[in-house]
Amino acid sequence: MDKLRLIIAREYMSIVGRKSFIIMTILFPFLMIAIGSIPVLMTMLNNSGDQTEQIAVIDETGRYSAALQSDNRYNFVAIKGDTLTNAREFYDKSKGSISAVIVIPRDVETSAQVNIYSESTVAPALTSMVNNALTDTIQNAKLAAKGIPDLQKIVEETSIDLDVRTVTWQQDGNETESSSDIAMGLGMILAMVIYIFVMMCGSMIMNNVIEEKTNRIVEVVVSSCRPFHLMLGKIIGVGLSGLTQMAIWIVLLAIAGSVMGNVLGGLAASPEAIAPGMDASEVNNVATDFMQQIMSINYTPIIINFLLYFIGGYLLYSAIFAALGSAVDQASDTSQFLWPVMMLMIIALYAAIGCAENPNGPMAFWCSMIPFTSPIVMMIRLPYDVPLWQMFLSHALLLGTALAIVWCAARIYRRGILHYGQKASFNDLFKWIK
Amino acid sequence: MAYLDINQVVKRYEGHTALAGVSMQVPQGCIYGLLGPNGAGKSTLIRIINRIIAADEGTVTLGGKPMTDADIAHIGYLPEERGLYKKMKVGEHIVYLGRLKGMTKADALASMHWWLDRFDLKEWENKKVEALSKGMQQKVQFIATVIHRPPLLIFDEPFSGFDPVNAEQLKVEILALRDQGSTILFSTHNMASVEEICQQITLLNHAQVVLTGSVDEVKQQHKKNIIAVQSPDSIEQNPALFTLLPTDPVKKDDILIKLAQGVQVRDAIAWLNDHYRLTGFTEVLPSMNEIFIETVKSQQNLHNNG
């Protein structure tokens, strides 16, 4: 046991002490925040366009140009003259002071078509603005033309915006409002955490094993300890280093998040930052709703189950990665063994995404029983109260399989690390297990 | 009684037998040469002694007791193909390997400092292994092998990669370890170094022991009754007593004669002394190199014919 502890400590320190690890650990959250805030920054830049563009409007119907409201980006100027040639002349004469010409044709109500002419590409913002402004107006005009009294009012009253709420019945008879969106989001995040962690640490373990083997240090080490201890120490040590990194990220993200939250909160409090048509109380309501739904999820079982699946899934896959690393002489030889493992993991991820649609369906059930996919797929199902027997069965299958895989991997590993030269085949691997 | 006693050890792999009933007795405090061509089974035997792999049959006893996993603390092993963790610091690395062999941290630290000092590597203690020259890395490897003062040392080609100066230093250290009571199993292809430091040898070929004994015994067994004679006269051969052999191009002054069957050295020398002016003579014993080649080749012929 002392030796195992020594090996774990060495593996852990050899990763955590690396400069690249320290840099990556500290920089990653900032990188994520930077990537996350790029769209926000870009919209800000867009909206702060310093110049108001002049847009000429030729309204052949004479009824709809008023619907186009000028704002600080686009100033709509209705021009006389109703033919396209006129428009072109007008555009050329303006020598660039007018950036586009909108033509609302006479038959717009039947053709449902409006043209924007320009020498440069028309910004999507302008197209969507014109579309939004004119659609409602023309629709209302058409409704009014039907001559039925109060038709517009009737249509407004009959149109609905359905709000589907999901409510969970508790054992004690209470009802809690739950949100499938948030439950699914949480599940997806947990699934991704396991997937990324296993991939990251798994490939690190594999490369470590190959490095030790090509270094030839492995023979010295296994003359001092059992190969199984070396493999296990590596799996645990690398796993702990990954957990350390994750813990630091969570702390940094939490700090950064609260700082960002304060800054954004400050912005949101200023009235001009709130989207038009939404007042401050509405924003508040959305936020409290969101918070309530987040709080409504029962976290204790999710956290416990997450940790169990995390450990099981990590053991299962990292043992495979360690065994594969031991079977080759150089990293470039791994591909022939690696693709089945990668396939399994990608299938698990896709199954997880698929199960999000129907977290209690047959695919979700089977994929959350198969140990190679269950650690990832079960994450999606966790927020949806999985039946207890399924939970137990899935855990038992995962644990049993993980231990069996570790046993097989150890047998491959102890032969593989001393095997040089001729590349091992799948056949060899099976022989080594026996 | 032998310190390390290997008794009828068998190891089979899919398709071939690496060791077919190998026995070997290594006395305490001896430098014991384990010889053999590539693929003879030396590495397999060494790995079995190190308990890296298990024998299919046979026993290995150390100090009179069957070996257990606990015994690996009593062995220091320097493999032929060796390496270190490149990113680890020299001092940390030596201490790590020492502690893996069961030393306490304090003991390992003290021993590490003592050895680094002895090999003039003190200022490298906190440098990464990758910053060291190949020769220095070899020294670090050697220190890591002996840091826990094991009673049994196994060196596989210890001198490869060393320049003559460092090789000499290493030889001195190995002899010093022997004098302090360590038993040393020494595997090499370098027959000159075998003659220099080994007292006993075992020659493996095709998974079997083909030759064993003390270096002197083996040489006596393989002598060809050849005498190098120095004389200013040109000696004619006397088929009743001896025949002349072509001279060794390196030692042109030596006249080589091969004694006829049953002729004693002193009879031949007496006759030569009567007829020529003899200035000196020495019995030519075969070198370990010659014995090695001869034994392995005769085995090959046996194999080919059988």
Side-chain angles (χ1 to χ4, degrees), chain A residues 321-433:
Chain A
F321 278 112
L324 295 188
S326 75
V328 298
D329 283 1
Q330 54 205 39
S332 56
D333 286 346
T334 52
S335 52
Q336 64 155 337
F337 295 124
L338 213 50
W339 69 261
V341 187
M342 290 299 182
M343 281 290 278
L344 275 177
M345 292 215 59
I346 290 166
I347 287 172
L349 193 64
Y350 276 105
I353 294 167
C355 294
E357 290 278 304
N358 186 5
N360 291 317
M363 177 167 89
F365 172 76
W366 287 110
C367 287
S368 59
M369 289 300 133
I370 298 167
F372 292 95
T373 53
S374 68
I376 292 173
V377 173
M378 205 48 130
M379 289 306 110
I380 303 288
R381 297 188 62 195
L382 272 185
Y384 296 100
D385 294 318
V386 182
L388 212 56
W389 69 269
Q390 288 189 16
M391 234 38 229
F392 274 119
L393 183 58
S394 167
H395 274 308
L397 284 173
L398 176 61
L399 186 69
T401 315
L403 291 181
I405 292 276
V406 168
W407 185 82
C408 291
R411 294 182 72 83
I412 292 176
Y413 181 82
R414 87 183 173 172
R415 285 291 302 271
I417 48 173
L418 298 173
H419 177 92
Y420 290 99
Q422 209 194 353
K423 221 160 64 170
S425 64
F426 275 111
N427 248 340
D428 290 329
L429 297 196
F430 286 119
K431 264 188 217 151
W432 293 350
I433 292 174

Side-chain angles (χ1 to χ4, degrees), chain A residues 3-62:
Chain A
K3 288 184 181 178
L4 183 61
R5 206 174 310 142
L6 261 175
I7 294 165
I8 292 172
R10 198 209 76 83
E11 292 293 337
Y12 180 78
M13 286 315 294
S14 77
I15 295 170
V16 174
R18 231 180 266 166
K19 271 199 201 88
S20 58
F21 176 89
I22 297 168
I23 293 169
M24 189 60 194
T25 305
I26 294 171
L27 283 190
F28 184 77
F30 294 103
L31 217 68
M32 287 303 288
I33 291 168
I35 290 169
S37 51
I38 283 170
V40 178
L41 286 175
M42 281 170 69
T43 354
M44 277 177 157
L45 275 177
N46 260 348
N47 289 342
S48 67
D50 42 15
Q51 237 175 329
T52 308
E53 286 182 44
Q54 304 289 325
I55 312 289
V57 182
I58 297 173
D59 185 1
E60 294 181 351
T61 63

Side-chain angles (χ1 to χ4, degrees), chain B residues 246-264:
Chain B
T247 52
D248 183 340
V250 183
K251 293 183 188 168
K252 285 200 170 119
D253 293 340
D254 286 354
I255 300 153
L256 296 178
I257 61 169
K258 182 173 171 56
L259 301 184
Q261 197 80 37
V263 174
Q264 295 294 307

Side-chain angles (χ1 to χ4, degrees), chain B:
Chain B
M1 205 188 73
Y3 180 64
L4 174 68
D5 191 344
I6 289 153
N7 190 16
Q8 289 300 318
V9 164
V10 175
K11 180 74 189 175
R12 291 182 206 92
Y13 287 115
E14 298 90 21
H16 80 286
T17 305
L19 296 171
V22 167
S23 295
M24 186 169 96
Q25 281 77 40
V26 183
Q28 185 145 23
C30 161
I31 299 184
Y32 197 100
L34 178 60
L35 318 178
N38 294 324
K42 287 174 299 176
S43 296
T44 306
L45 183 58
I46 288 175
R47 282 176 180 168
I48 287 172
I49 299 170
N50 273 305
R51 300 188 70 78
I52 294 174
I53 53 178
D56 294 332
E57 286 168 36
T59 55
V60 180
T61 59
L62 190 72
K65 279 173 278 182
M67 267 186 91
T68 63
D69 273 344
D71 281 318
I72 55 177
H74 305 132
I75 304 178
Y77 173 39
L78 184 68
E80 179 181 6
E81 300 275 5
R82 44 199 176 242
L84 297 161
Y85 290 113
K86 302 251 179 295
K87 302 278 177 197
M88 263 179 120
K89 287 176 183 162
V90 171
E92 276 175 10
H93 202 313
I94 295 170
V95 168
Y96 171 66
L97 291 176
R99 292 185 71 194
L100 263 192
K101 282 288 189 187
M103 292 178 96
T104 64
K105 194 174 183 182
D107 285 351
L109 271 171
S111 188
M112 179 266 291
H113 284 129
W114 189 86
W115 278 105
L116 282 185
D117 209 21
R118 199 169 167 88
F119 277 99
D120 286 328
L121 288 170
K122 221 174 182 175
E123 62 270 36
W124 295 92
E125 184 190 330
N126 287 313
K127 297 266 174 21
K128 281 187 180 168
V129 170
E130 62 189 350
L132 270 61
S133 71
K134 184 150 185 262
M136 285 194 277
Q137 287 189 24
Q138 300 266 35
K139 287 181 182 176
V140 171
Q141 193 106 44
F142 177 80
I143 295 173
T145 310
V146 300
I147 183 169
H148 55 302
R149 299 260 169 204
L152 176 62
L153 281 160
I154 300 173
F155 294 123
D156 199 348
E157 294 290 359
F159 299 116
S160 73
F162 277 90
D163 64 40
V165 176
N166 285 327
E168 187 59 28
Q169 188 185 4
L170 195 65
K171 198 179 90 186
V172 169
E173 293 300 337
I174 291 175
L175 291 173
L177 285 165
R178 196 253 335 250
D179 294 341
Q180 287 158 24
S182 289
T183 306
I184 294 162
L185 188 62
F186 179 51
S187 167
T188 186
H189 287 134
N190 182 348
M191 294 301 137
S193 63
V194 172
E195 285 185 63
E196 256 179 279
I197 64 173
C198 290
Q199 282 107 51
Q200 297 199 31
I201 60 122
T202 280
L203 176 57
L204 288 183
N205 195 21
H206 295 297
Q208 279 170 322
V209 175
V210 291
L211 190 63
T212 187
S214 78
V215 172
D216 293 336
E217 275 169 27
V218 167
K219 285 190 160 192
Q220 288 294 335
Q221 281 165 16
H222 284 78
K223 71 177 177 189
K224 298 282 188 320
N225 294 326
I226 294 169
I227 302 171
V229 181
Q230 287 100 43
S231 168
D233 306 326
S234 73
I235 293 170
E236 298 286 320
Q237 64 181 3
N238 178 353
L241 287 171
F242 61 86
T243 48
L244 278 177
L245 294 176
T247 52
D248 183 340
V250 183
K251 293 183 188 168
K252 285 200 170 119
D253 293 340
D254 286 354
I255 300 153
L256 296 178
I257 61 169
K258 182 173 171 56
L259 301 184
Q261 197 80 37
V263 174
Q264 295 294 307
V265 175
R266 57 179 195 166
D267 296 337
I269 294 298
W271 186 86
L272 280 166
N273 201 25
D274 289 345
H275 291 80
Y276 303 99
R277 291 171 292 169
L278 275 192
T279 55
F281 70 94
T282 40
E283 185 173 21
V284 176
L285 286 174
S287 68
M288 285 309 293
N289 209 31
E290 287 163 343
I291 296 171
F292 182 97
I293 293 169
E294 188 191 305
T295 313
V296 171
K297 275 204 170 153
S298 71
Q299 282 269 314
Q300 232 161 27
N301 292 339
L302 223 75
H303 256 261
N304 293 344
N305 296 339

Side-chain angles (χ1 to χ4, degrees), chain A residues 160-409:
Chain A
I160 54 161
D161 182 10
L162 200 62
D163 180 18
V164 181
R165 322 215 99 184
T166 52
V167 178
T168 313
W169 278 329
Q170 301 291 309
Q171 298 285 343
D172 54 17
N174 282 338
E175 290 179 357
T176 48
E177 193 171 313
S178 62
S179 161
S180 353
D181 283 351
I182 286 174
M184 200 180 79
L186 180 69
M188 269 331 274
I189 289 172
L190 295 181
M192 282 311 283
V193 165
I194 290 188
Y195 178 80
I196 291 171
F197 189 90
V198 169
M199 281 294 218
M200 214 171 65
C201 291
S203 55
M204 205 185 287
I205 286 170
M206 196 176 69
N207 289 329
N208 261 358
V209 172
I210 296 169
E211 196 188 328
E212 268 181 8
K213 203 179 150 183
T214 43
N215 249 354
R216 307 277 179 161
I217 177 75
V218 70
E219 187 149 2
V220 175
V221 176
V222 295
S223 74
S224 312
C225 72
R226 292 175 55 204
F228 177 65
H229 284 156
L230 181 58
M231 187 185 93
L232 201 62
K234 201 172 279 296
I235 289 174
I236 297 173
V238 171
L240 287 178
S241 76
L243 284 176
T244 306
Q245 189 164 48
M246 229 176 340
I248 295 172
W249 284 348
I250 288 170
V251 170
L252 284 181
L253 279 176
I255 294 170
S258 65
V259 170
M260 288 285 284
N262 278 339
V263 172
L264 287 181
L267 276 182
S270 58
E272 67 268 25
I274 294 166
M278 217 188 201
D279 58 34
S281 67
E282 223 170 313
V283 174
N284 259 342
N285 276 346
V286 171
T288 42
D289 243 28
F290 185 71
M291 284 312 287
Q292 244 168 17
Q293 283 167 348
I294 285 183
M295 300 310 273
S296 77
I297 296 169
N298 190 1
Y299 283 99
T300 322
I302 290 183
I303 290 170
I304 292 170
N305 279 305
F306 169 74
L307 287 176
L308 287 176
Y309 278 109
F310 182 88
I311 293 167
Y314 176 66
L315 261 186
L316 182 84
Y317 276 104
S318 60
I320 295 177
F321 278 112
L324 295 188
S326 75
V328 298
D329 283 1
Q330 54 205 39
S332 56
D333 286 346
T334 52
S335 52
Q336 64 155 337
F337 295 124
L338 213 50
W339 69 261
V341 187
M342 290 299 182
M343 281 290 278
L344 275 177
M345 292 215 59
I346 290 166
I347 287 172
L349 193 64
Y350 276 105
I353 294 167
C355 294
E357 290 278 304
N358 186 5
N360 291 317
M363 177 167 89
F365 172 76
W366 287 110
C367 287
S368 59
M369 289 300 133
I370 298 167
F372 292 95
T373 53
S374 68
I376 292 173
V377 173
M378 205 48 130
M379 289 306 110
I380 303 288
R381 297 188 62 195
L382 272 185
Y384 296 100
D385 294 318
V386 182
L388 212 56
W389 69 269
Q390 288 189 16
M391 234 38 229
F392 274 119
L393 183 58
S394 167
H395 274 308
L397 284 173
L398 176 61
L399 186 69
T401 315
L403 291 181
I405 292 276
V406 168
W407 185 82
C408 291

